Amino acid sequence: MKIPGNKALLSITVATFYFCFQVFIILSALQLNGACLSAMWLDSSTIISPYFSFLTSVLLILFFGVVLGGVEVVRGSFNKYDLVFYSIFVIVLLFWLNGLHDLWRTFEYEKGNLSKAEYFTERYAMWPQNYEHSKCLQSDK
């Protein structure tokens, strides 16, 4: 089975951006030294913060994939393998967007905009309940 060029390029682009995203998260967590994640990811001194650049990239890739899938549907050259490819593609990007939303919630919790009860809802029941944002907030003062 041969993978067409546009699907291969789309797959490689998503994999590369996701790898860069994961590396950036790990490096930022290792370099915290008591600072908040939000201080690094939402840096107001830069024109484009890392968080918004990744969010914009994911949304553009998702838009590009939906357009490519729509073009194939309109042309009538859509087969079951294309349906599987674009379905998996959209699901992966939606999971990534969900992760970005969770990261945003973490930023809000670090800043004190979300209470512990709001942050640790049933959805976040797997996370340790003893994490306090006060350590992060004290280091910023």
Side-chain angles (χ1 to χ4, degrees):
M1 184 169 115
K2 185 180 176 208
I3 299 176
N6 58 353
K7 291 180 190 162
L9 179 64
L10 201 57
S11 300
I12 291 170
T13 303
V14 169
T16 303
F17 274 127
Y18 190 73
F19 177 74
C20 292
F21 175 72
Q22 292 298 324
V23 167
F24 196 77
I25 284 181
I26 291 169
L27 289 177
S28 63
L30 292 176
Q31 296 175 358
L32 283 178
N33 296 331
C36 295
L37 274 174
S38 59
M40 182 178 207
W41 280 80
L42 299 174
D43 189 10
S44 61
S45 64
T46 60
I47 294 173
I48 300 174
S49 69
Y51 178 80
F52 289 111
S53 63
F54 278 112
L55 180 63
T56 304
S57 299
V58 171
L59 290 173
L60 285 174
I61 293 169
L62 181 62
F63 178 74
F64 184 70
V66 168
V67 167
L68 281 179
V71 166
E72 288 191 16
V73 167
V74 169
R75 277 193 213 157
S77 61
F78 208 76
N79 60 34
K80 63 182 176 181
Y81 298 112
D82 292 336
L83 179 64
V84 170
F85 174 80
Y86 286 113
S87 298
I88 292 172
F89 176 78
V90 167
I91 289 169
V92 166
L93 288 178
L94 289 177
F95 273 112
W96 193 358
L97 285 172
N98 186 37
L100 284 168
H101 177 260
D102 291 343
L103 188 59
W104 181 264
R105 286 179 54 87
T106 302
F107 298 155
E108 291 298 309
Y109 180 67
E110 283 180 346
K111 293 181 202 175
N113 295 337
L114 284 177
S115 69
K116 186 183 242 185
E118 291 171 332
Y119 183 73
F120 294 109
T121 59
E122 292 177 16
R123 180 176 178 192
Y124 301 100
M126 69 183 99
W127 294 101
Q129 299 291 320
N130 58 359
Y131 177 74
E132 292 291 335
H133 67 273
S134 59
K135 295 177 192 173
C136 173
L137 294 174
Q138 290 172 359
S139 66
D140 288 343
K141 291 181 181 178

